[in-house]
């Protein structure tokens, strides 16, 4: 597979995995077997997205000639917001459809989501705002957006790669310590930046043709381990106060996410050392979904998870497939047809035409 096709295949696979994760119940069976356990790792799929995002953003930035903030911001903003606004409008009209009347558009909630401050209040404390119109997958976009913005500042103001890495992981560790006692948005965001930056480091090694082993990744992995242990201390404090609520809820959730990052990278390094055996058979087929994976991710709540407009079908499997096919069609239309045309209309903002990436 050429260039970053392996990453694209992983992205397509992870997007569909999240769709299934949000759709199956604990009693879902296939050919008489309960398959729910296979799809309990939606959170881990998002952590994989973070790692892939850090890799791709750094790779793209390194290859581009125009490294001005204007160009960088324009590319990142149009990529995030054009499909997102379309899905937000869709979400509002679907809420109206469900209610059978024009509903409150919740302008404050909308504004705070557009400012990328959303997260899930049922899972984490002191959340600024929940995702717009109950579209819970949008929580990760706030992290992605601010990772993009912080990435540019680190690239601009710190020259040495080693210093960049030390700064980011030092900041993540300090933020993790702060988060244990003050679990609010900013330290939570900066703590997770270490996971995303691990993707940046992998990208740098890939572009330099450096060896990628656990030994060569010792520093960033050690940083993730330290954050993991600090989160573990937070779990210990919660256990003493009797406030632990489960694996998918603060404070265990943050500890779980950092452990997941360690496992994903370890598995990736091991798989690479074995020549990516079975990768083409197991993962490559998902490459076809990579170009539409973003809209699949941000729209599947409406098209699949909360959908019941095909409930007249007597076969649940066929009903689910109908929802998925509609979601894929919508995603294709937005990503492949509408988004490039809108982007082309905005290309005059920059000195040269913008290429869809």
């Amino acid at each position: 597979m050429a260039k970053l096709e392996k990453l694209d295949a992983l992205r397509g696979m992870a997007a569909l995995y999240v769709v299934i994760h949000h759709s199956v119940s604990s009693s879902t069976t296939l050919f008489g077997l309960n398959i729910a356990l296979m799809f309990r790792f939606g959170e881990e799929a998002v952590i994989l997205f973070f790692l892939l995002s850090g890799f791709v953003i750094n790779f793209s930035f390194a290859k581009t000639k125009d490294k001005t903030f204007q160009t960088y911001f324009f590319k990142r903003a149009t990529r995030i917001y054009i499909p997102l606004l379309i899905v937000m409008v869709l979400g509002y009209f679907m809420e109206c459809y469900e209610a059978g009347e024009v509903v409150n558009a919740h302008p404050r909630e909308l504004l705070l989501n557009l400012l990328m401050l959303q997260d899930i209040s049922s899972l984490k404390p002191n959340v600024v705002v929940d995702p717009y119109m109950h579209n819970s997958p949008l929580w990760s976009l706030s992290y992605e957006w601010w990772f993009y913005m912080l990435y540019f500042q680190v690239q601009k103001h710190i020259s040495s790669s080693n210093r960049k890495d030390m700064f980011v992981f030092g900041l993540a560790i300090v933020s993790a310590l702060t988060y244990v006692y003050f679990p609010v948005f900013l330290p939570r965001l900066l703590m997770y930046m270490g996971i995303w930056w691990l993707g940046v480091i992998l990208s740098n090694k890939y572009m330099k043709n450096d060896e990628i082993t656990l030994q060569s990744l010792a520093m960033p992995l050690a940083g993730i381990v330290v954050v993991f242990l600090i989160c573990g201390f937070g779990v210990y404090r919660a256990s003493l106060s009797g406030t632990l609520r489960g694996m998918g809820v603060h404070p265990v959730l943050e500890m779980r996410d950092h452990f997941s990052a360690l496992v994903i990278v370890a598995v990736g390094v091991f798989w690479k050392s074995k020549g990516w055996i079975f990768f083409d058979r197991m993962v490559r087929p998902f490459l076809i979904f990579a170009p539409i994976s973003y809209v699949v991710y941000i729209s599947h709540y409406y098209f699949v998870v909360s959908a019941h407009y095909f409930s007249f079908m007597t076969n649940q499997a066929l009903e689910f497939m109908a929802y998925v096919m509609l979601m894929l069609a919508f995603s294709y239309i937005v990503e492949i047809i509408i988004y490039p045309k809108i982007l082309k209309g905005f290309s005059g903002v920059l000195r040269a035409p913008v290429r869809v990436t």
Side-chain angles (χ1 to χ4, degrees):
M1 298 174 70
K3 296 222 172 180
L4 302 185
E5 283 191 349
K6 282 188 171 65
L7 273 66
D8 286 338
L10 284 169
R11 183 158 51 96
M13 182 185 70
L16 289 185
Y17 183 93
V18 171
V19 173
I20 299 174
H21 164 75
H22 285 143
S23 305
V24 300
S25 67
S26 59
S27 59
T28 301
T29 59
L30 181 66
F31 304 119
L33 298 175
N34 190 315
I35 62 170
L37 181 61
M38 295 172 54
F39 298 103
R40 289 184 180 176
F41 305 100
E43 186 74 15
E44 285 70 20
V46 175
I47 297 304
L48 175 59
F49 276 134
F50 284 168
L51 290 165
L52 295 176
S53 174
F55 189 110
V56 172
I57 294 300
N58 184 64
F59 183 88
S60 174
F61 187 76
K63 299 297 182 182
T64 189
K65 294 181 179 179
D66 186 350
K67 290 181 168 56
T68 63
F69 182 70
Q70 177 191 4
T71 299
Y72 178 80
F73 181 86
F74 179 83
K75 288 182 176 180
R76 301 280 62 85
T78 52
R79 185 69 189 104
I80 289 286
Y81 280 100
I82 291 175
L84 177 62
L85 289 170
I86 294 172
V87 171
M88 283 181 161
V89 172
L90 168 73
Y92 174 72
F93 281 111
M94 293 194 77
E95 288 285 330
C96 293
Y97 171 78
E98 293 290 335
E101 61 181 2
V102 176
V103 301
N104 186 345
H106 301 290
R108 178 183 178 276
E109 179 184 318
L110 174 60
L111 175 61
L112 292 175
N113 271 257
L114 292 175
L115 291 174
M116 293 296 169
L117 298 173
Q118 70 274 14
D119 212 326
I120 303 178
S121 61
S122 62
L123 304 181
K124 301 167 190 173
N126 303 309
V127 167
V128 178
V129 64
D130 278 292
Y132 188 62
M133 290 293 170
H134 314 295
N135 190 357
S136 58
L138 298 187
W139 75 267
S140 64
L141 294 192
S142 62
Y143 291 74
E144 286 281 359
W145 174 256
W146 292 113
F147 293 161
Y148 296 164
M149 297 301 103
L150 290 167
Y151 170 83
F152 185 88
Q153 297 306 319
V154 172
Q155 292 288 355
K156 178 181 178 181
H157 295 289
I158 304 176
S159 57
S160 165
S161 293
N162 288 335
R163 289 182 180 179
K164 291 173 185 176
D165 299 343
M166 293 296 291
F167 172 79
V168 170
F169 284 98
L171 185 62
I173 291 169
V174 171
S175 298
L177 287 167
T178 304
Y179 187 69
V180 169
Y181 297 97
F182 304 98
V184 295
F185 178 79
L186 183 58
R188 180 164 54 231
L189 173 76
L190 297 176
M191 177 175 68
Y192 275 79
M193 180 73 177
I195 295 176
W196 193 88
W197 197 266
L198 183 51
V200 173
I201 292 175
L202 288 167
S203 178
N204 283 330
K205 290 186 175 298
Y206 173 81
M207 289 186 288
K208 294 176 182 177
N209 291 317
D210 287 349
E211 186 179 19
I212 299 178
T213 64
L214 295 181
Q215 289 76 17
S216 70
L217 296 171
M219 191 283 286
L221 291 178
I224 299 293
V225 168
V226 172
V227 174
F228 167 78
L229 293 174
I230 294 171
C231 291
F233 175 64
V235 171
Y236 172 72
R237 293 181 72 244
S239 68
L240 293 180
S241 62
T243 57
L244 287 180
R245 292 191 291 158
M247 288 292 293
V249 185
H250 170 82
V252 179
L253 177 61
E254 294 86 349
M255 183 180 178
R256 169 185 166 183
D257 287 343
H258 285 80
F259 178 75
S260 299
L262 294 170
V263 171
I264 290 169
V265 172
V267 169
V269 169
F270 175 77
W271 205 349
K272 181 179 181 297
S273 71
K274 300 302 179 182
W276 300 107
I277 185 171
F278 301 128
F279 188 97
D280 285 356
R281 293 182 182 180
M282 295 170 56
V283 183
R284 193 182 195 284
F286 295 97
L287 180 63
I288 191 175
F289 300 108
I292 62 173
S293 59
Y294 175 47
V295 175
V296 165
Y297 180 77
I298 64 176
S299 70
H300 75 270
Y301 174 81
Y302 300 120
F303 282 107
V304 183
V305 179
S306 64
H308 54 76
Y309 35 85
F310 292 146
S311 57
F312 59 86
M313 294 184 176
T314 56
N315 187 298
Q316 289 187 341
L318 289 177
E319 181 184 354
F320 176 74
M321 289 305 299
Y323 293 140
V324 171
M325 293 304 294
L326 186 60
M327 173 197 69
L328 293 176
F330 173 82
S331 300
Y332 179 87
I333 292 170
V334 173
E335 288 270 36
I336 308 302
I337 300 175
I338 298 177
Y339 168 64
K341 289 183 178 180
I342 295 176
L343 186 62
K344 185 177 181 181
F346 279 119
S347 63
V349 173
L350 302 178
R351 296 175 182 175
V354 177
R355 186 180 67 179
V356 179
T357 57

